[in-house]
């Protein structure tokens, strides 16, 4: 899959438009069809190569049948929960659908929140409202992931989608602000005060870049 210069840029519209495509029963049937021949009743052991092959097969199946919200939003997130780890077909299907449900709910929650954000025209007010929105997205993402060590890439994606949803371009300077603001929180979610400082940095960078774009300044 080809990617644009800044990773997930311009993907939020695809995710939002495909959120209604989540059909757990359909996915369960597809997963059952795929896993059953590989995990027949009585299987007691899988070597690492077979386990890896099954994981890749499940990922390919979901990429084909789950919808753009998976390929552009969830794919690669909430690791290990969607990996066939046991030898029971139905147990694996339950684990996979549970992980997908958490991710889909997170994306739906983000969508609802993004639609509620209205950035004012005044630059100072715009930065303040955007900073509040960044903090809210950080909180929603920390809640969805449990604030665990792997929360960082989810937060980076979610904040990028927030900017996209508000029509703000993710230039290299904005991406740098995102990286710098989240750099100290790669293992755990920030405290309220840390989130406020990070949000102010991201919001200020995004608003300044938007002003420069409108004024035609490179």
């Amino acid at each position: 899959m080809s990617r644009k210069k800044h990773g997930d840029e311009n993907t939020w519209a695809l995710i939002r438009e495909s959120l209604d495509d989540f059909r757990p029963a359909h996915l369960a049937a597809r997963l059952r069809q795929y896993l059953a021949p590989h995990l027949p009743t009585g299987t007691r052991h899988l070597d690492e190569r077979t386990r890896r092959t099954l994981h890749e097969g499940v990922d390919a199946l979901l990429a084909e049948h789950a919808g753009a919200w998976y390929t552009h939003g969830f794919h690669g997130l909430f690791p290990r929960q969607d990996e066939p780890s046991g030898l029971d077909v139905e147990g694996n299907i339950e684990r996979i659908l549970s992980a997908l449900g958490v991710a889909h709910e997170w994306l739906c929650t983000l969508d609802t929140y993004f639609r509620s954000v209205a950035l004012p025209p005044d630059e100072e007010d715009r930065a303040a409202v955007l900073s509040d929105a960044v903090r809210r997205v950080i909180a929603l993402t920390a809640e969805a992931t449990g604030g665990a060590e792997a929360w960082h890439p989810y937060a980076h994606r979610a904040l990028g989608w927030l900017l996209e949803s508000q029509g703000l371009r993710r230039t290299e300077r904005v991406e740098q602000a995102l990286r710098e603001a989240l750099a100290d929180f790669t293992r755990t979610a920030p405290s309220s005060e840390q989130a406020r400082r990070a949000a102010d940095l991201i919001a200020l960078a995004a608003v300044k870049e938007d002003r420069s774009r409108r004024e035609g300044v490179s």
Side-chain angles (χ1 to χ4, degrees):
M1 182 189 305
S2 63
R3 287 187 174 271
K4 292 183 178 292
K5 182 178 180 181
H6 298 304
D8 299 307
E9 187 175 10
N10 301 321
T11 61
W12 180 248
L14 294 172
I15 294 170
R16 183 187 62 225
E17 292 166 4
S18 69
L19 288 174
D20 290 340
D21 294 340
F22 183 38
R23 296 182 292 161
H26 171 74
L27 292 177
R30 291 286 184 174
L31 288 165
R32 191 172 294 112
Q33 184 179 38
Y34 172 73
L35 289 173
H38 299 285
L39 296 174
T41 302
T43 300
R44 296 181 179 276
H45 174 73
L46 291 177
D47 58 55
E48 187 57 34
R49 181 178 180 181
T50 300
R51 190 181 300 277
R52 186 168 56 251
T53 297
L54 283 178
H55 173 72
E56 292 171 352
V58 166
D59 184 58
L61 184 150
L62 294 176
E64 181 178 359
H65 296 286
W69 71 269
Y70 175 81
T71 53
H72 292 285
F74 172 74
H75 180 64
L77 299 186
F78 300 93
R80 305 190 195 285
Q81 296 184 64
D82 61 332
E83 179 177 353
S85 54
L87 302 181
D88 175 63
V89 171
E90 296 304 318
N92 273 293
I93 291 173
E94 182 179 351
R95 226 178 346 262
I96 292 165
L97 292 181
S98 176
L100 290 176
V102 170
H104 185 263
E105 182 179 2
W106 173 59
L107 293 172
C108 287
T109 300
L110 290 178
D111 181 43
T112 298
Y113 180 66
F114 291 170
R115 292 173 187 269
S116 74
V117 177
L119 299 182
D122 177 78
E123 187 171 315
E124 184 175 344
D125 293 341
R126 194 175 183 82
V129 170
L130 185 57
S131 178
D132 287 343
V134 168
R135 277 183 284 170
R136 180 58 180 156
V137 170
I138 287 175
L140 290 172
T141 305
E143 180 180 356
T145 61
E149 181 175 341
W151 91 286
H152 182 268
Y154 321 153
H156 194 125
R157 288 192 185 190
L159 292 174
W161 295 332
L162 167 66
L163 299 179
E164 289 178 37
S165 75
Q166 302 307 308
L168 299 172
R169 292 181 59 192
R170 294 171 61 182
T171 65
E172 184 54 47
R173 276 177 281 196
V174 170
E175 285 294 315
Q176 182 178 353
L178 278 170
R179 290 192 296 269
E180 290 178 355
L182 298 176
D184 293 333
F185 316 115
T186 56
R187 295 187 178 276
T188 186
S191 66
S192 296
E193 179 59 26
Q194 290 170 328
R196 184 191 65 77
R197 291 197 296 268
D200 287 347
L201 175 63
I202 293 167
L204 183 61
V207 169
K208 282 186 174 181
E209 281 293 275
D210 186 54
R211 181 188 62 192
S212 296
R213 178 185 63 81
R214 287 184 283 106
E215 294 177 351
V217 179
S218 59

